[in-house]
Amino acid sequence: MASKASKARRPTISDVARHAGVSTSLVSLVLQGSPLVREPKRAAVDAAIKELGYRPSRAAATLAGGASKTIGLIIDDYRNLWFVELLHGLQAELEQHGYHVTVVDSPGDETPGNGPIDQLLSLRVDGIVVAMDPRDSMLPATWAPTVVAGWRDRIPDGADLVANDDNAGGRLAAGHLLDLGHTRIAHLTGSGGAAAHRRAGFLLRCAEAGLPVRLWGEGHGTSEEDGYQAARALMEHFPDTTAIFAANDIMAVGALAALRERGLQAPRDVSVLGYDNSPLAMSRYLDLSSIDAKSGDVGIGAARALLARMEESSRPLLRTLIQPELAPRGTTAAVSP
């Protein structure tokens, strides 16, 4: 019968060890299925696990040593669904090699000793994929083999890079709007490496066509609210704008809300183009035109780079760019005469 203490909280590996009269290392060996454990000890641990209702965690199972077969993925915002396809690609490739992925977000309010790297190291991860602009605490990539997914402001020392070619994507976005005949074009941008590369490609392509760009949001965030506020201010200053390119899909959703607030519709009044081709863009309700960042392919590439780095830590650093594609839908159209 379980004790009152074990009922009051979730039992730990230490509780199992005390209940079975063995060490925590021996419990870990049992959880790993080690043949080194004698049958009487194994039976005592199994009985303790059953009696206490203990649910072993993968981290606890690896305390005695050996690879955890866990890869950590760090993102900065669960609300922005761009990372969904990245995660699918990452998992699909890693699962073939017996690894699973643990996702940790880093919203920016981390405390010393409790950042995403600390959380992942406590799980004894075998490798880390950074899918956000790294903070200072993430820059010395000495904790574990590391791959950065996506263009970033900074790349940790010793980390490989697998990214969508955001410069090419920005050019592709500009070309799409230019081909539709738009000449009063705006771009909602923001902070971060990906936004900077998308902005650079977009501005360059428009400059080649001899068109100025109405740029808004540089140095600010890239959330839905940021997109809404930027589009709202933009339309106040330039109400004759006929096309908006947003730095990502969630900003584009904010822009659509700002347009609706003014009684405008996409694409009848203003064409709106996002970036990432996220599940938001693909939803039938929004039907949002977007630049496909090939996030699934980035995930697969990041997984392969990480596996190679874990196998040979001294290999040359990898820098891989994956080409984006246009995903035209219902929010962009030829400019009205």
Side-chain angles (χ1 to χ4, degrees):
M1 184 175 180
S3 67
K4 291 182 179 180
S6 64
K7 286 182 178 180
R9 59 176 173 80
R10 181 177 176 176
T12 67
I13 192 172
S14 298
D15 294 329
V16 173
R18 282 193 296 271
H19 200 81
V22 299
S23 67
T24 55
S25 296
L26 190 137
V27 175
S28 294
L29 290 174
V30 171
L31 293 173
Q32 295 175 61
S34 172
L36 301 177
V37 182
R38 295 181 179 180
E39 190 54 39
K41 296 290 187 182
R42 184 185 305 278
V45 170
D46 288 341
I49 288 174
K50 184 177 180 180
E51 189 170 345
L52 293 174
Y54 173 70
R55 297 180 63 185
S57 68
R58 193 177 294 265
T62 59
L63 285 176
S68 68
K69 305 298 284 188
T70 302
I71 300 300
L73 171 63
I74 305 176
I75 63 173
D76 57 359
D77 190 354
Y78 277 113
R79 295 169 297 181
N80 191 342
L81 298 180
W82 71 268
F83 74 92
V84 171
E85 291 302 316
L86 173 79
L87 179 58
H88 284 170
L90 194 67
Q91 287 178 321
E93 188 66 24
L94 290 172
E95 284 174 356
Q96 299 180 47
H97 300 271
Y99 290 88
H100 81 286
V101 180
T102 293
V103 182
V104 175
D105 72 327
S106 179
D109 55 354
E110 62 186 70
T111 56
N114 193 38
I117 298 299
D118 302 292
Q119 295 177 47
L120 291 176
L121 291 181
S122 71
L123 298 176
R124 300 171 58 88
V125 296
D126 299 314
I128 295 174
V129 176
V130 178
M132 60 173 290
D133 283 293
R135 299 193 174 91
D136 290 341
S137 61
M138 303 178 190
L139 288 179
T142 56
W143 352 277
T146 303
V147 174
V148 173
W151 276 115
R152 306 299 167 195
D153 279 336
R154 301 177 291 179
I155 307 297
D157 294 336
D160 295 301
L161 171 70
V162 180
N164 168 252
D165 189 341
D166 289 307
N167 284 78
R171 293 182 62 88
L172 194 60
H176 175 55
L177 298 178
L178 291 170
D179 288 345
L180 291 173
H182 292 280
T183 57
R184 299 189 296 274
I185 300 174
H187 177 37
L188 308 183
T189 185
S191 58
H197 283 278
R198 295 169 188 182
R199 180 172 64 247
F202 187 79
L203 293 177
L204 181 58
R205 179 66 183 86
C206 288
E208 291 171 353
L211 286 178
V213 175
R214 298 162 177 186
L215 186 65
W216 221 269
E218 192 170 7
H220 293 277
T222 55
S223 68
E224 180 180 353
E225 180 65 18
D226 292 317
Y228 167 77
Q229 294 294 348
R232 190 179 181 193
L234 165 74
M235 297 306 294
E236 286 289 337
H237 285 77
F238 300 104
D240 63 340
T241 298
T242 65
I244 294 174
F245 167 50
N248 60 32
D249 289 340
I250 196 168
M251 287 190 78
V253 171
L256 289 171
L259 292 175
R260 184 180 63 183
E261 195 174 78
R262 294 178 65 90
L264 303 175
Q265 293 182 12
R268 184 194 68 190
D269 304 301
V270 182
S271 285
V272 176
L273 177 64
Y275 202 113
D276 288 328
N277 200 30
S278 67
L280 279 174
M282 292 185 279
S283 69
R284 293 183 184 276
Y285 181 76
L286 289 178
D287 197 32
L288 177 67
S289 296
S290 186
I291 302 299
D292 190 346
K294 296 292 182 180
S295 295
D297 292 342
V298 172
I300 292 171
R304 291 175 178 173
L306 191 58
L307 290 168
R309 177 64 58 192
M310 290 189 295
E311 182 177 345
E312 184 184 352
S313 61
S314 61
R315 63 190 297 272
L317 288 177
L318 179 70
R319 297 289 184 264
T320 300
L321 295 182
I322 295 172
Q323 294 304 303
E325 292 182 2
L326 175 67
R329 296 192 180 88
T331 58
T332 53
V335 64
S336 300

